[in-house]
């Protein structure tokens, strides 16, 4: 069905948007930070998607409307905003209902940056797994931006973040599971490890984590900056 990917985006957005007016979470009060954070955080990944289409993956025209911006279906562009909106809404729900504490993991988390850069170098040069290398590079850069902008206020230092990651993994399993099982997105077997969780390339988890991490970094930064003004 040509409208299936569009309907998927609508379903992803419908629940979080309708509950954005709930009194306890009142997510709509944060919209002035949500939309700039999503735009800034999604832009580099959309550029990546734009140039990767046809090399790392292709989109099945059976499930899209046929309205494209360059090589990308309109629904794919919407995906980079509907899913982050749902994730940020879920983050605020967690913040409203659960307490968090600061974890002494700064050195451990900081080691992930050279780890990501080293992984990117190894996968690109030794295996020619360029997609795998790019997701490791994106993860390292996302952490770097987080530490530069947030410092000690980094979400990676909060115990709540690690609870939230469990929900994030479920989101990836549902969203990317749907996209790859139909398949709306068809991956080439080149340039990646070909390790999967069900039908989902293993790299997609780190791609999604990097994307969401940098959006949450921008979102948190905008909230703290407004509170200081």
């Amino acid at each position: 069905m040509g409208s299936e990917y569009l309907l998927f985006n609508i379903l992803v957005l419908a629940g979080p948007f309708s509950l954005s007016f709930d009194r306890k979470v009142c997510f709509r009060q944060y919209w002035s930070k949500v939309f700039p954070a999503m735009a800034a955080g999604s832009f580099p990944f959309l550029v990546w998607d734009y140039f990767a289409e046809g090399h790392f993956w292709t989109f099945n025209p059976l499930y899209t409307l046929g309205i494209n911006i360059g090589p990308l279906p309109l629904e794919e562009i919407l995906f980079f905003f509907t899913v982050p909106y749902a994730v940020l809404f879920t983050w605020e729900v967690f913040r409203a209902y659960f307490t968090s504490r600061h974890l002494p993991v700064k050195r451990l988390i900081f080691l992930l940056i050279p780890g990501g850069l080293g992984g990117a170098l190894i996968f690109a040069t030794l295996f020619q797994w360029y997609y795998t290398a790019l997701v490791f590079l994106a993860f390292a850069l996302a952490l770097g931006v987080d530490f530069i902008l947030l410092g000690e206020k980094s979400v990676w230092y909060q115990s709540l973040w690690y609870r939230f990651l469990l929900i994030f993994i479920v989101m990836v399993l549902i969203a990317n599971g749907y996209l790859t099982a139909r398949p709306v997105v068809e991956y080439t077997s080149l340039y990646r490890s070909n390790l999967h969780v069900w039908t989902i390339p293993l790299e997609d988890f780190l791609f999604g984590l990097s994307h969401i991490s940098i959006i949450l970094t921008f979102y948190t930064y905008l909230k703290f900056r407004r509170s200081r003004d």
Side-chain angles (χ1 to χ4, degrees):
M1 183 171 64
S3 60
E4 187 171 322
Y5 195 8
L6 177 62
L7 290 173
F8 170 80
N9 276 294
I10 292 172
L11 287 173
V12 167
L13 184 62
F17 182 79
S18 61
L19 293 173
S20 294
F21 304 89
D22 171 76
R23 290 184 179 181
K24 184 171 179 63
V25 178
C26 196
F27 189 57
R28 66 184 179 88
Q29 69 179 304
Y30 302 120
W31 281 355
S32 62
K33 292 89 173 174
V34 169
F35 297 115
M38 290 196 303
S42 288
F43 178 75
F45 289 89
L46 276 169
V47 172
W48 176 351
D49 205 4
Y50 184 94
F51 288 103
E53 202 281 335
H55 300 285
F56 297 160
W57 51 70
T58 58
F59 297 95
N60 192 331
L62 292 176
Y63 304 110
T64 62
L65 297 174
I67 303 172
N68 286 29
I69 299 177
L72 299 181
L74 174 64
E75 298 90 337
E76 174 70 0
I77 295 171
L78 292 176
F79 177 87
F80 279 87
F81 294 93
T82 58
V83 170
Y85 186 94
V87 169
L88 289 179
F89 170 80
T90 305
W91 172 252
E92 285 297 343
V93 170
F94 267 60
R95 281 172 41 83
Y97 286 93
F98 300 103
T99 59
S100 186
R101 58 188 179 87
H102 189 276
L103 297 177
V105 293
K106 182 176 181 178
R107 292 182 179 179
L108 178 62
I109 298 300
F110 192 74
L111 287 175
L112 292 176
I113 296 178
L117 294 174
L121 181 63
I122 290 170
F123 290 130
T125 58
L126 297 184
F127 300 98
Q128 287 74 55
W129 292 350
Y130 299 117
Y131 176 46
T132 309
L134 280 171
V135 296
F136 271 76
L137 178 61
F139 179 66
L141 292 176
L143 279 178
V145 171
D146 182 86
F147 293 147
I148 291 170
L149 289 183
L150 299 181
E152 293 298 324
K153 295 185 181 296
S154 169
V155 295
W156 287 84
Y157 299 160
Q158 298 182 39
S159 61
L160 189 62
W161 169 245
Y162 297 95
R163 289 186 182 183
F164 177 75
L165 283 181
L166 297 176
I167 301 300
F168 169 76
I169 291 171
V170 173
M171 289 180 173
V172 173
L173 289 171
I174 293 172
N176 291 56
Y178 156 73
L179 291 174
T180 55
R182 286 297 286 163
V184 175
V185 182
E186 298 176 289
Y187 284 82
T188 67
S189 59
L190 300 174
Y191 312 123
R192 61 188 179 90
S193 67
N194 283 307
L195 297 175
H196 294 78
V197 176
W198 186 32
T199 58
I200 308 169
L202 195 61
E203 290 88 348
D204 275 13
F205 289 89
L206 199 56
F207 179 99
L209 179 59
S210 304
H211 180 211
I212 294 306
S213 175
I214 201 165
I215 287 177
L216 188 55
T217 294
F218 288 140
Y219 173 67
T220 305
Y221 173 76
L222 290 173
K223 287 180 66 179
F224 281 135
R225 189 182 68 173
R226 178 60 62 85
S227 67
R228 293 196 301 265
D229 293 342

